[in-house]
Amino acid sequence: MAFHTVGICLKPDQPQLAGSVRELEKWLRERGLEVLLGREAAAVTGAPGMMRSELAEKADLVIVLGGDGTLLAVARAIGERPVPILGVNLGTLGFLAEISRDELYPTLDQMLGGRFRTEERTRLAVSVERRGEPGPRYLALNDAVLARTALSRMVDLETLADGFPVATYHADGLILATPTGSTAYSLSAGGPLLLPGLAALVLTPICPHTLTQRPLVLPQSCVVEVRVRDARGGEVQLTCDGQVGCELLEGDRVIIRRTEQPVLFLVPSDRNRFDVMRAKLRWGER
Amino acid sequence: MAFHTVGICLKPDQPQLAGSVRELEKWLRERGLEVLLGREAAAVTGAPGMMRSELAEKADLVIVLGGDGTLLAVARAIGERPVPILGVNLGTLGFLAEISRDELYPTLDQMLGGRFRTEERTRLAVSVERRGEPGPRYLALNDAVLARTALSRMVDLETLADGFPVATYHADGLILATPTGSTAYSLSAGGPLLLPGLAALVLTPICPHTLTQRPLVLPQSCVVEVRVRDARGGEVQLTCDGQVGCELLEGDRVIIRRTEQPVLFLVPSDRNRFDVMRAKLRWGER
Amino acid sequence: MAFHTVGICLKPDQPQLAGSVRELEKWLRERGLEVLLGREAAAVTGAPGMMRSELAEKADLVIVLGGDGTLLAVARAIGERPVPILGVNLGTLGFLAEISRDELYPTLDQMLGGRFRTEERTRLAVSVERRGEPGPRYLALNDAVLARTALSRMVDLETLADGFPVATYHADGLILATPTGSTAYSLSAGGPLLLPGLAALVLTPICPHTLTQRPLVLPQSCVVEVRVRDARGGEVQLTCDGQVGCELLEGDRVIIRRTEQPVLFLVPSDRNRFDVMRAKLRWGER
Amino acid sequence: MAFHTVGICLKPDQPQLAGSVRELEKWLRERGLEVLLGREAAAVTGAPGMMRSELAEKADLVIVLGGDGTLLAVARAIGERPVPILGVNLGTLGFLAEISRDELYPTLDQMLGGRFRTEERTRLAVSVERRGEPGPRYLALNDAVLARTALSRMVDLETLADGFPVATYHADGLILATPTGSTAYSLSAGGPLLLPGLAALVLTPICPHTLTQRPLVLPQSCVVEVRVRDARGGEVQLTCDGQVGCELLEGDRVIIRRTEQPVLFLVPSDRNRFDVMRAKLRWGER
């Protein structure tokens, strides 16, 4: 795979990064690559930019300058287009944006020379059904979360996997996470780590009333359905990647299945997942 | 301690309990006791009733017919008056309302004969301060909970104990529970069990981002202050006993200390706390 | 798949089951099936029996009368032979031996009529290497556990997956569990539930000193290697399925990979895994 | 409280610390203090030394150079003598030996000037009873642990508090920890943090089979009795502070109560417990 057209996406409102964007643009052009700027990147340099979805149509590599949050947003904007993403971290080391600023140019050098791997990351398609009618649809790279909004009370969430009843969770909420999302909210809620690339999803209840309702790892082919059974007068919120979502009513059904096209991450060929985990989770230190 | 005046409080909207209330009233009067009915109890029998707070002024024993929720509400209504409560469970065994319907009359017989213990249960006084001005105040027998309401994002809660900084919790929320409340929400959030009567409180973070922020047990004399540092544009809800509370803004301070007067529970003298725990938590079964 | 020859294996030392074994034998013969008895089953009826491994060569179905422990032992004895097992529980409901005594004959009726599924259960081959020399080898259907034997001290276990360093666990020990074993010891140690049939293994540290070392779910194709780095003068025990194993020395390497041939479980076609989990873990009760 | 005689205790086998010991000795003598050396300290300087217990009789302050392990050993050697300990950490920051090498002389300066607090740390007296006869006795500043030694099987530990049955734990073992010990093994086993000075103990089961058997916080006045009910042919080990202990047989009873005289820690007056927790547990980092 050789790269011809590289898109640059930026975290919004980062005027102080104008220099970094121009430098990266110049570096790429000097190597014969065409460069496209997303709107946020264009905004800081004054150049013409395009929407992320449009950029994803034309680029064969998207470099994301930002943190994990920016990368999640770009991944959703790219949607089902099979264009790989390279995440460059501008702040502290991320689980997703794993290239540090200092590593950017040496890594790009390697990658243009063909020394990289493309990792396939499972992504979720989340759709809501109300009274039998289809409602909003979302994509999620990390997780889909159903949770009550008034935290004093619990919600009852009836859950099925491939049509089989799993359990009715009487809890603060429920997280369905991909391996990528297993290091995010699910981990805080007591979920296990899933190696990226594992063909599995994890269903993690949030503060379940029943102490034996532990996180459950399912095949990634599972179609998970969650029905809002009883919200005790309060509201239930559906949130995808902690960024987009909607309110749910009693009786609503949320159907979650993986997308055909996974998200593609470009990673240096000498890096493995355990290195990132060890660094981020500070294994080796108490 | 001999009893002269017994109040009866009922869970609201229980018309089917009219017979039970009348029977209890009759049983008590036959033994020379004066009986006062709370409004909810009076409503189902058609007799005159009084507010729970008024009842608490005049009674030297309050019998609560309902579940743990009703008992929590009555305990708040009684406020700082030193009148003991006897909780009678009408549904499944509760942690608080621990006398079953079948045990009611044998237990009352014992108690009128002096065979009972009065358990002191620590209670919290929770007060909100906004821009230096005092705001709402609440009582809590189980717990005070600060939690974000839009569950997709975290809240930063700076916490001090007796003025010393404990930690800034980057989490879904924070629970300060009494020993009584340690079997409620705090347990679902991963907190330990505290023996009732223990002179301690437990501070349990809800889904903390930092995995080493574990539940922390503090002396009950501690004055705990929680400052809402960053709500990321969302809202933070203060909830006491899962029943009352208010919304908080960034910058608000919540100050929690135990009340001088504990809640008083009347318990059969042959019952101990471990029996209730074992039964409720099904120890001995997986 | 039609059955011709059925083996019966029994938990050792169950003379009171002589009648049950004879009854089952008779029932099967009446339906034209040949019956073979394992030694433990033969011992109680006085009939000639054979070793479990020999029985596995000749039978095309093995019925195990006992609990989960007996079933684990029979599965190891069967080894890599592709003969399906039907576990009948004589005591309390098991995760593995999921047919109760009352269900035995109706279930067999169904199964002889072709109404059953064969579930493939991942199994581990565990081999020890000492100073470069191959040592003992074991099979495990539930888990392989490395743990210190003198519980006052920790052990350092360096762990690799497919040759990549995962972490050095400073802990009481380490469990590598199959989906089948995820409901056993790993669950007690804080591990997640894995749906049987999931192509994954879970690596669960036992009381790790580093609180961020959480259970890690790996592809079942992973070859996991654990090196005993520092046993602090004590001993490290390798145990497979809680039943067989050996002592390890500092420097020993344990290599764990799944076997080519999974264990085959015969299950009624109307039963699914979630039913068993819900019943065993008492979901729906606190 | 003015100090006259200072004892110096050292971690064994630290010849490289001869200079540090001599320097500390000189520094103290120059300020008019008498200095006594424990054997380990004397061994590296060639001076005459004395046993730690003897030293504790004569000193009114004991400085411990080492880590948490050395401090635990010195605390046991001091026994019930009311002499305060100052722990100086020679390696990484400890929970107990909280003065770093660099802070040693500034801290001593402060303390000799009277700016210090004496913290009382609850300590356990652990005694074994076999067939009604008293057996070995131990002191423990961190914890008393009963655990099976052959890790493939569980042990049944019947536990009573003040004579009341708490639970029979079917587990790897059981930890009874002081607030001081709540940051040690109990934390790894899932226990809460207890603020030092809290009048409480925590009973933490190790990998309990029953998932609802959560850590239980008890009043420090509780006399806890653990009876070894069933060791399934294996052995049960009693270990105090991870350093001393004995093997137990089925039927043995272990009785644990706090000692009258707590361990005394000398701490700088400007230091509080939360600071140490935050630093050691890396709160503020993920």
Side-chain angles (χ1 to χ4, degrees), chain C residues 145 147-154 172 185 187-189 206-212 237 239 242-243 281 286, chain D residues 145 147-154 172 185 187-189 206-212 237 239 242-243 281 286:
Chain C
V145 177
R148 65 198 172 89
T149 53
L151 269 140
S152 56
R153 291 159 176 248
M154 294 202 170
D172 275 11
Y185 189 20
L187 188 64
S188 292
I206 307 169
C207 300
H209 189 260
T210 300
L211 300 180
T212 57
Q237 181 82 22
T239 315
Q243 299 185 337
L281 296 172
R286 174 147 191 166
Chain D
V145 178
R148 66 196 171 93
T149 53
L151 268 140
S152 56
R153 291 161 175 245
M154 294 201 171
D172 275 11
Y185 189 21
L187 188 64
S188 292
I206 307 169
C207 300
H209 189 261
T210 300
L211 300 180
T212 57
Q237 182 82 23
T239 315
Q243 298 184 335
L281 295 173
R286 174 147 191 166

Side-chain angles (χ1 to χ4, degrees), chain A residues 145 147-154 172 185 187-189 206-212 237 239 242-243 281 286, chain B residues 145 147-154 172 185 187-189 206-212 237 239 242-243 281 286:
Chain A
V145 178
R148 64 195 172 94
T149 55
L151 269 140
S152 57
R153 294 162 173 244
M154 294 201 169
D172 275 10
Y185 189 21
L187 188 63
S188 292
I206 308 169
C207 300
H209 188 259
T210 300
L211 301 180
T212 56
Q237 181 81 24
T239 315
Q243 299 184 336
L281 296 173
R286 174 146 190 168
Chain B
V145 177
R148 63 196 174 89
T149 54
L151 269 139
S152 58
R153 291 160 176 246
M154 294 202 170
D172 275 10
Y185 190 20
L187 187 64
S188 291
I206 308 169
C207 300
H209 189 259
T210 300
L211 300 180
T212 58
Q237 182 81 23
T239 315
Q243 299 185 337
L281 296 172
R286 173 146 192 167

Side-chain angles (χ1 to χ4, degrees), chain B residues 44-100:
Chain B
V44 301
T45 62
M50 58 180 72
M51 284 179 60
R52 287 166 174 178
S53 54
E54 191 189 349
L55 185 149
E57 292 288 353
K58 298 181 177 164
D60 42 27
L61 168 62
V62 173
I63 299 177
V64 180
L65 303 173
D68 286 0
T70 315
L71 200 145
L72 290 168
V74 171
R76 275 201 318 280
I78 287 181
E80 305 253 359
R81 297 169 197 92
V83 49
I85 302 174
L86 175 68
V88 181
N89 215 305
L90 300 179
T92 53
L93 174 62
F95 272 108
L96 305 183
E98 64 182 82
I99 305 298
S100 73

Side-chain angles (χ1 to χ4, degrees), chain C:
Chain C
M1 184 183 198
F3 301 110
H4 303 284
T5 309
V6 180
I8 300 177
C9 290
L10 192 68
K11 191 174 168 179
D13 305 320
Q14 307 291 314
Q16 80 287 3
L17 292 178
S20 301
V21 174
R22 281 199 200 97
E23 184 188 41
L24 175 57
E25 202 180 344
K26 182 158 166 282
W27 191 96
L28 292 165
R29 289 200 208 278
E30 284 171 3
R31 277 145 191 86
L33 293 159
E34 194 179 340
V35 178
L36 305 174
L37 296 185
R39 284 204 176 152
E40 295 77 6
V44 302
T45 62
M50 59 180 73
M51 283 181 59
R52 288 166 173 179
S53 54
E54 191 188 349
L55 183 149
E57 292 287 353
K58 298 181 179 165
D60 42 27
L61 167 62
V62 174
I63 299 177
V64 180
L65 305 173
D68 285 0
T70 315
L71 200 145
L72 290 168
V74 170
R76 276 202 316 281
I78 286 181
E80 305 253 359
R81 298 168 196 93
V83 50
I85 303 175
L86 174 68
V88 181
N89 215 305
L90 299 179
T92 53
L93 175 63
F95 273 107
L96 305 183
E98 65 183 80
I99 304 298
S100 73
R101 212 168 189 165
D102 291 347
E103 296 168 308
L104 174 56
Y105 294 106
T107 300
L108 280 177
D109 246 342
Q110 271 187 41
M111 289 182 169
L112 297 183
R115 295 195 303 283
F116 63 86
R117 282 181 304 109
T118 305
E119 277 190 7
E120 301 201 341
R121 300 293 188 110
T122 302
R123 173 172 40 194
L124 305 173
V126 182
S127 55
V128 179
E129 213 183 279
R130 183 167 296 170
R131 289 185 225 99
E133 296 295 315
R137 292 175 53 89
Y138 307 95
L139 293 176
L141 172 54
N142 262 354
D143 47 35
V145 177
L146 284 94
R148 65 198 172 89
T149 53
L151 269 140
S152 56
R153 291 159 176 248
M154 294 202 170
V155 66
D156 286 355
L157 298 172
E158 184 187 352
T159 305
L160 299 94
D162 288 338
F164 293 108
V166 176
T168 294
Y169 295 95
H170 181 55
D172 275 11
L174 199 55
I175 304 164
L176 187 70
T178 63
T180 303
S182 72
T183 52
Y185 189 20
S186 174
L187 188 64
S188 292
L193 300 163
L194 271 60
L195 195 70
L198 185 77
L201 304 173
V202 58
L203 189 67
T204 305
I206 307 169
C207 300
H209 189 260
T210 300
L211 300 180
T212 57
Q213 284 180 335
R214 298 278 289 268
L216 175 62
V217 187
L218 299 165
Q220 71 171 359
S221 61
C222 254
V223 178
V224 174
E225 180 184 333
V226 186
R227 296 177 187 168
V228 181
R229 270 293 162 231
D230 188 349
R232 287 173 186 72
E235 288 157 358
V236 176
Q237 181 82 22
L238 167 68
T239 315
C240 294
D241 288 346
Q243 299 185 337
V244 293
C246 64
E247 291 209 346
L248 300 173
L249 304 180
E250 279 184 24
D252 282 359
R253 300 164 64 223
V254 177
I255 295 113
I256 310 167
R257 71 184 77 218
R258 70 167 163 153
T259 60
E260 294 249 329
Q261 172 65 45
V263 176
L264 303 176
F265 276 19
L266 223 61
V267 292
S269 47
D270 60 350
R271 183 156 309 188
N272 71 69
R273 281 300 110 197
F274 301 115
D275 297 341
V276 178
M277 265 185 201
R278 264 200 316 278
K280 283 289 295 175
L281 296 172
R282 300 180 167 274
W283 290 353
E285 309 169 25
R286 174 147 191 166

